[in-house]
Amino acid sequence: MIGLFDSGVGGLSVWRELYKVLPQEKYLYFSDAGHCPYGPKSKEEIILRAKTITEYLIGNGAEIIVVACNTATAASIEYLRGNYNIPFVGMEPAVKPAAINTRTGAIGVLATKGTFKGELYLRTLHKFASNAKVLEQVGEGLVELVENGEVETPKAKELIGRYVRPMLEANVDHIVLGCTHYPFLEKTIREIVGDGVEIVNPAPAIARRALQVLQERKRSSVQEFGQNTFVTTGDNMEVLEAMVGEIAPDDYKGFVFRKIEI
């Protein structure tokens, strides 16, 4: 079983890519909507939630865990790898491909406060983007839009426009989505930035890395068709079910959804 967790439904952008390459795996997805958003929380708070969630996932059969949240990865991935004897795949800041492929020498990064403060992001920035102009923007309020199912509303368009127009004025040609919630806003972002800007979604690369980890464990990457379970600690069940149904409409009826309290 592959476990995934996020502060809410954002990690479904990673599950979507995993499901494309591993549709017959068993998945246990944990939406910690009762404690969302993670962005403003301290590192200590996030580690505590990551620890609680990890123990739940392992206790329910997870053999590998994908930390499908940039903020949680930044705060807790080293702790998790140091304290649990299973593989963890975290979110990598997709600054490298943007910095390598930029034609204008300017890239934008849209992320949470927690991601921008993380050592992994800062190391990646120093290593790969020292010669590029990087415009950073905290996407305050965007996670909540996705959690509320408001991804294509005038409110979403207004807020995203406020965040990305300064990037366009600075001539960026790549915008990195530094939060797993943000790919669900990609259509609205595209309407504003046009076709001349590359929107960098790291989720496909994370799915490929998870597949590699499974293969390295010398097990089949495809198991018998299994039950997919989605649990949440919050009141976002309606949005969670709707988004899962859009991603996998043919298999949706075989999925299980539960609200839990931990």
Side-chain angles (χ1 to χ4, degrees):
M1 180 182 285
I2 300 174
L4 302 92
F5 77 87
D6 177 57
S7 63
V9 298
L12 292 176
S13 65
V14 180
W15 176 75
R16 174 173 57 189
E17 300 303 324
L18 274 167
Y19 201 68
K20 288 178 184 177
V21 296
L22 296 170
Q24 290 177 280
E25 283 285 354
K26 294 181 182 179
Y27 295 92
L28 175 56
Y29 182 91
F30 192 110
S31 163
D32 197 20
H35 299 85
C36 185
Y38 280 179
K41 287 181 166 52
S42 69
K43 181 176 181 177
E44 292 72 22
E45 289 177 292
I46 295 170
I47 288 176
L48 181 59
R49 288 308 300 161
K51 178 177 180 292
T52 300
I53 294 165
T54 292
E55 291 175 0
Y56 175 86
L57 293 174
I58 292 173
N60 283 275
E63 301 167 84
I64 173 177
I65 293 177
V66 180
V67 185
C69 173
N70 294 75
T71 304
T73 297
S76 69
I77 195 74
E78 291 184 6
Y79 173 87
L80 296 175
R81 286 173 174 161
N83 287 274
Y84 298 95
N85 192 31
I86 66 167
F88 288 86
V89 177
M91 300 302 299
E92 294 285 342
V95 171
K96 179 181 177 180
I100 290 175
N101 295 308
T102 179
R103 302 174 304 278
T104 65
I107 65 173
V109 182
L110 193 60
T112 67
K113 287 181 181 178
T115 296
F116 282 132
K117 291 187 295 184
E119 292 180 11
L120 181 58
Y121 172 77
L122 296 173
R123 287 200 303 267
T124 303
L125 197 67
H126 176 74
K127 186 174 182 179
F128 298 108
S130 58
N131 294 322
K133 181 180 181 182
V134 181
L135 282 84
E136 299 177 344
Q137 175 61 56
V138 175
E140 188 172 348
L142 297 183
V143 167
E144 289 84 349
L145 287 175
V146 177
E147 289 295 316
N148 294 329
E150 300 176 331
V151 296
E152 295 181 24
T153 61
K155 182 179 178 181
K157 193 166 185 177
E158 189 278 328
L159 190 57
I160 292 169
R162 191 192 313 165
Y163 291 155
V164 304
R165 286 195 182 97
M167 296 181 182
L168 299 179
E169 292 168 2
N171 202 27
V172 305
D173 60 356
H174 287 69
I175 294 179
V176 177
L177 303 182
C179 172
T180 54
H181 281 77
Y182 298 170
F184 293 111
L185 296 162
E186 187 169 347
K187 181 178 179 182
T188 304
I189 296 171
R190 175 62 66 198
E191 289 177 4
I192 297 169
V193 304
D195 295 328
V197 175
E198 184 75 20
I199 300 173
V200 185
N201 173 13
I206 302 305
R208 291 193 295 272
R209 174 57 184 155
L211 175 59
Q212 181 184 14
V213 170
L214 287 170
Q215 291 171 337
E216 288 171 353
R217 287 172 64 82
K218 297 182 179 179
R219 61 186 291 277
S220 170
S221 63
V222 178
Q223 304 295 309
E224 72 283 1
F225 187 83
Q227 179 172 279
N228 285 264
T229 303
F230 301 81
V231 300
T232 181
T233 59
D235 297 322
N236 65 336
M237 187 64 78
E238 184 176 341
V239 173
L240 180 64
E241 290 195 37
M243 293 177 74
V244 170
E246 288 179 7
I247 292 169
D250 293 337
D251 302 320
Y252 170 76
K253 289 183 179 179
F255 295 161
V256 175
F257 296 85
R258 295 193 183 111
K259 183 172 180 179
I260 61 174
E261 295 183 8
I262 63 170

